[in-house]
Amino acid sequence: MPETLEFKAELKQLLHLITHSLYSDREIFLRELISNASDAINKVRFDALANADKLEGDADWKIKLVPDAAAGTLTVSDNGIGMSRQEVIENLGTVAQSGTKAFLEAAKQAGRTAEAPGLIGQFGVGFYSAFMVADRVTVVTRPAGSRPADGTRWESDGQGTFTVEAVEKPTRGTDVILHLKDDAKEFLEPYRLRGLVKKFSDFLEFPVVMDVTTGKDGRQETTEETLNSRKAIWLRDKREVTPEEYAEFYKSLTHDSQAPAEVIHYKGEGKTEFRVLAFIPANKPFTFDWKEPTAGLRLYVQRVLVMEKCEQVLPFYLRFVEGVVDSSDLPLNVSREILQQNPLLDVIQKSVVKNVLDALAGLKNLEYDKYREFYRGFGSILKEGLVGDQANREKIADLLFFESANTEPGQFITLPQYVEKMPEGQSEIYYLTGESAEQLRRSPYLEAFRAKGRDVLLLTDPVDEFALPALGSYKGKPLKAADRADTGTGESVPADLAEKFSALTAYLKGKLPEVADVRLTTRLTDSAACLVAEGGAVNAHLERLMERMGRQAPQSRRVLELNPNNPAVTAVRDLHARDATDPRLEGYARLLYEQAVIAEGSAVPDPVAFARRVNDLIARDAR
């Protein structure tokens, strides 16, 4: 007769929490049950080292799924260690009672820790995930090395009680039978089970099998199909893995059609042991920019997928890296879905970041063309690390490519090359941000730099406005924007020359409320005027970027700088000296300002008025 017992905890309330809050997706129940079955096999295999009779002549390890559409049940069977009646009551009758944890404690006390297998489930709640999809669960089990009559049947609807009775079970191990809810019958479909095993348990050491019936020539034939590949190549020595195997695994992981540019495969040792297999793609995938950006490697614990994207082991600026990390030491929460904060996470992340950056440096130095192709797709993403990864800023900076005022269109220079070519007397690294390198090459801001033989980096990625200031300096040399007032490239304007233009600059300042100041400059050799930002004021390019993002740029006025050697500027000065009330002066003031606006890449506030002023000039000049 079945014996009815009560759970040793307020299971009705706890099961509600487990089935509604603990897991993010109910399909995880299969991962939990398969993981428990894997642990059970590992336990009997371990025990058999000292007690071979526990194998009962059966070492054909397997986990079997048996969907029964007629009965509405899904059974997960294993030929593992099994449980006695008392173990069933203790392990299944108490929430968070972990047989795995007790097993490891016993191995530790016996001095056999080194021999103990890596086991997955140590929280004792994974079994109860079955109630997310089943309104009743039956467990039939018999411990290894016992008689067939020593089987035990446990059953519960998860509402506070369970029944236990003795049954005959010919084989050792455990059968977990789920009586599926009406809305969970999808888990009886073979294609659904295949997909879940592939997703969560594909690399499990033991085969997960299912009987499949096929018909041919009017006859039906049943065969046992293995659902998981069991090929966890990250656990193998990298000397044993061929490039073809790496490429095949990468493509199956990412659905990329090309082989990766670089493979990173190593074993981390120290306070924690972990294995990493990561890939650097050759090109940006076609759909990379279409999906929600996420970072992280797939996290496995003893070959079982725990997280699709573990953000804690890979920073966001390396989100182009794909791969897996496998560790048995990481402290997961009870649902095995979320990592708890732990110093080991920092150790793993630092290791992964170092190895990725080293691999990129090796690719850049040894396979330049391959790295350049990679950089075209991911360079702007890599630059984000200058903002977020202070510890590795210079290593990241070494990996960056730039066009510059001195490079041919489409050619690049690196920061080490820039520093090496700096002329004597130059102590700063100059850069200019804008929409395109072609536009920047014609910028008036470059005139003084060219005159002095100094190069300027041309930055056209939106992230450059934030990344380069975050870097601050490189090899002790400050980075400075070329469109700032204090670039230090120009000579100071002689006092007597400034005096000659003082009346004009005062007039222009009064007529141009858009500018913060009007002054002479020696930074220009050809152009008449330019606008520069002072101090920490926002420059024109950043203003345009913020407007595109729908954000209001901080209100700031730039300084209008005039070239005293430009014929147009001197002509306006002379006109003002002859007659400060000449009505043409205001139009000329506007034109000097508007051409500076156009030169910085911005749009003039009133293009119609600008066109009218230009037409007036043409009409007067053409007479």
Side-chain angles (χ1 to χ4, degrees):
M1 286 288 294
E3 179 183 1
T4 301
L5 301 172
E6 291 187 356
F7 288 101
K8 295 182 183 178
E10 294 296 330
L11 187 66
K12 188 171 183 179
Q13 290 81 4
L14 286 173
L15 270 178
H16 185 273
L17 173 66
I18 291 169
T19 58
H20 292 85
S21 303
L22 188 59
Y23 295 95
S24 60
D25 195 322
R26 67 178 185 169
E27 67 182 18
I28 285 172
F29 83 94
L30 190 61
R31 179 195 72 182
E32 296 295 296
L33 297 182
I34 290 176
S35 296
N36 289 344
S38 174
D39 281 353
I41 294 173
N42 261 321
K43 290 174 190 176
V44 75
R45 197 166 64 165
F46 175 75
D47 274 2
L49 297 176
N51 302 283
D53 59 323
K54 286 194 173 185
L55 293 181
E56 302 177 19
D58 177 16
D60 182 19
W61 317 115
K62 70 174 65 173
I63 301 162
K64 188 164 188 174
L65 307 183
V66 184
D68 187 334
T73 62
L74 173 64
T75 302
V76 181
S77 297
D78 66 70
N79 56 348
I81 193 73
M83 291 180 284
S84 66
R85 177 188 176 91
Q86 188 58 37
E87 288 171 332
V88 166
I89 295 172
E90 290 176 354
N91 294 335
L92 303 187
T94 305
V95 174
Q97 173 71 26
S98 171
T100 291
K101 188 173 182 179
F103 178 87
L104 292 176
E105 287 295 329
K108 183 178 180 180
Q109 291 177 10
R112 301 180 65 193
T113 304
E115 302 172 43
L119 301 178
I120 305 166
Q122 299 183 38
F123 296 102
V125 299
F127 167 76
Y128 299 102
S129 65
F131 287 102
M132 292 191 292
V133 297
D135 49 26
R136 184 161 50 96
V137 178
T138 302
V139 177
V140 180
T141 183
R142 176 170 74 77
S146 64
R147 301 170 304 158
D150 292 332
T152 301
R153 176 190 174 95
W154 177 98
E155 188 168 281
S156 177
D157 60 2
Q159 298 301 307
T161 63
F162 61 90
T163 62
V164 179
E165 64 177 313
V167 295
E168 186 92 6
K169 189 175 188 301
T171 58
R172 70 163 191 272
T174 302
D175 303 333
V176 179
I177 306 162
L178 310 182
H179 303 267
L180 296 176
K181 299 175 182 178
D182 289 338
D183 64 351
K185 295 299 174 63
E186 63 180 288
F187 298 111
L188 295 174
E189 298 291 340
Y191 79 90
R192 188 77 166 98
L193 297 175
R194 286 190 190 93
L196 292 181
V197 172
K198 188 76 176 174
K199 179 177 181 180
F200 293 113
S201 308
D202 193 41
F203 305 108
L204 204 66
E205 180 181 3
F206 307 112
V208 180
V209 303
M210 178 174 63
D211 286 344
V212 177
T213 301
T214 56
K216 188 176 182 181
D217 299 329
R219 294 178 300 174
Q220 288 192 325
E221 182 180 354
T222 300
T223 57
E224 191 174 78
E225 177 185 345
T226 300
L227 307 181
N228 56 330
S229 69
R230 304 170 62 194
K231 296 178 181 178
I233 68 173
W234 63 84
L235 299 180
R236 292 162 56 187
D237 189 308
K238 64 181 180 181
R239 292 170 295 187
E240 300 173 357
V241 185
T242 66
E244 291 74 21
E245 288 177 304
Y246 280 132
E248 181 184 354
F249 180 72
Y250 167 75
K251 291 176 182 178
S252 69
L253 201 65
T254 64
H255 307 295
D256 195 348
S257 60
Q258 297 187 58
E262 191 68 27
V263 177
I264 304 164
H265 186 188
Y266 70 97
K267 178 181 179 182
E269 297 178 334
K271 292 182 180 179
T272 181
E273 287 192 4
F274 57 94
R275 293 177 182 269
V276 173
L277 176 55
F279 302 93
I280 297 171
N283 295 284
K284 183 188 285 189
F286 185 64
T287 59
F288 189 86
D289 293 324
W290 293 3
K291 56 187 179 182
E292 186 71 23
T294 56
L297 301 180
R298 293 190 177 195
L299 176 66
Y300 286 81
V301 174
Q302 297 297 325
R303 302 187 181 207
V304 175
L305 178 66
V306 172
M307 295 179 71
E308 283 277 8
K309 288 284 188 179
C310 182
E311 299 175 0
Q312 292 94 326
V313 299
L314 193 71
F316 193 63
Y317 76 92
L318 295 178
R319 58 187 176 275
F320 52 81
V321 178
E322 298 279 0
V324 304
V325 58
D326 191 330
S327 173
S328 58
D329 297 332
L330 285 174
L332 306 175
N333 71 354
V334 291
S335 68
R336 295 206 286 263
E337 292 185 281
I338 305 170
L339 288 172
Q340 299 171 352
Q341 290 302 313
N342 189 282
L344 298 181
L345 285 174
D346 295 331
V347 172
I348 293 178
Q349 187 190 73
K350 287 177 183 177
S351 171
V352 171
V353 170
K354 177 184 182 301
N355 278 274
V356 169
L357 294 181
D358 287 349
L360 287 172
L363 191 65
K364 169 176 164 283
N365 295 330
L366 301 176
E367 298 183 79
Y368 180 84
D369 291 339
K370 185 183 288 189
Y371 180 79
R372 185 173 61 179
E373 194 61 32
F374 156 83
Y375 191 85
R376 289 185 193 278
F378 298 107
S380 59
I381 297 172
L382 189 60
K383 289 177 186 176
E384 295 173 15
L386 298 177
V387 180
D389 191 352
Q390 187 171 359
N392 291 296
R393 278 178 183 167
E394 285 223 348
K395 292 184 74 172
I396 297 168
D398 285 337
L399 298 170
L400 304 182
F401 282 168
F402 304 93
E403 286 194 63
S404 79
N406 290 349
T407 62
E408 294 294 324
Q411 298 301 309
F412 300 102
I413 189 173
T414 64
L415 283 174
Q417 290 169 337
Y418 181 99
V419 170
E420 184 181 351
K421 294 178 180 180
M422 285 171 56
E424 187 176 351
Q426 181 180 342
S427 59
E428 296 168 319
I429 299 171
Y430 300 106
Y431 65 90
L432 184 61
T433 58
E435 308 299 326
S436 70
E438 182 182 7
Q439 179 193 59
L440 292 176
R441 290 180 197 280
R442 298 192 293 266
S443 172
Y445 299 113
L446 300 183
E447 292 176 8
F449 295 95
R450 286 196 176 104
K452 290 181 173 290
R454 298 181 180 180
D455 201 1
V456 178
L457 303 176
L458 308 180
L459 311 181
T460 56
D461 286 332
V463 71
D464 290 330
E465 283 287 0
F466 311 97
L468 268 293
L471 178 60
S473 65
Y474 178 77
K475 303 298 184 186
K477 301 186 182 302
L479 282 88
K480 183 164 287 189
D483 57 355
R484 292 283 168 180
D486 58 343
T487 57
T489 57
E491 308 292 338
S492 58
V493 177
D496 59 335
L497 185 60
E499 179 61 29
K500 289 180 181 179
F501 282 85
S502 59
L504 175 64
T505 55
Y507 172 83
L508 294 177
K509 188 172 180 180
K511 292 297 181 180
L512 300 171
E514 300 94 333
V515 301
D517 196 7
V518 180
R519 58 186 178 223
L520 301 185
T521 183
T522 60
R523 78 165 69 227
L524 301 173
T525 59
D526 298 312
S527 301
C530 68
L531 289 166
V532 296
E534 276 198 305
V538 174
N539 67 9
H541 184 240
L542 183 54
E543 277 187 2
R544 296 193 297 270
L545 287 177
M546 295 180 72
E547 287 173 4
R548 288 176 200 162
M549 293 187 290
R551 298 176 59 184
Q552 184 65 41
Q555 293 298 316
S556 62
R557 296 184 301 163
R558 287 182 282 286
V559 175
L560 177 65
E561 292 190 344
L562 302 176
N563 177 5
N565 298 314
N566 182 274
V569 175
T570 56
V572 175
R573 181 203 64 183
D574 294 343
L575 177 59
H576 181 269
R578 290 195 306 271
D579 183 3
T581 63
D582 191 308
R584 293 174 295 173
L585 283 171
E586 189 167 347
Y588 295 154
R590 281 276 142 208
L591 282 171
L592 287 172
Y593 169 71
E594 287 168 341
Q595 67 175 284
V597 170
I598 293 171
E600 73 174 8
S602 301
V604 293
D606 188 346
V608 174
F610 171 73
R612 184 172 61 248
R613 283 187 282 273
V614 172
N615 289 335
D616 288 345
L617 278 178
I618 295 173
R620 283 197 296 270
D621 188 64
R623 287 184 183 139

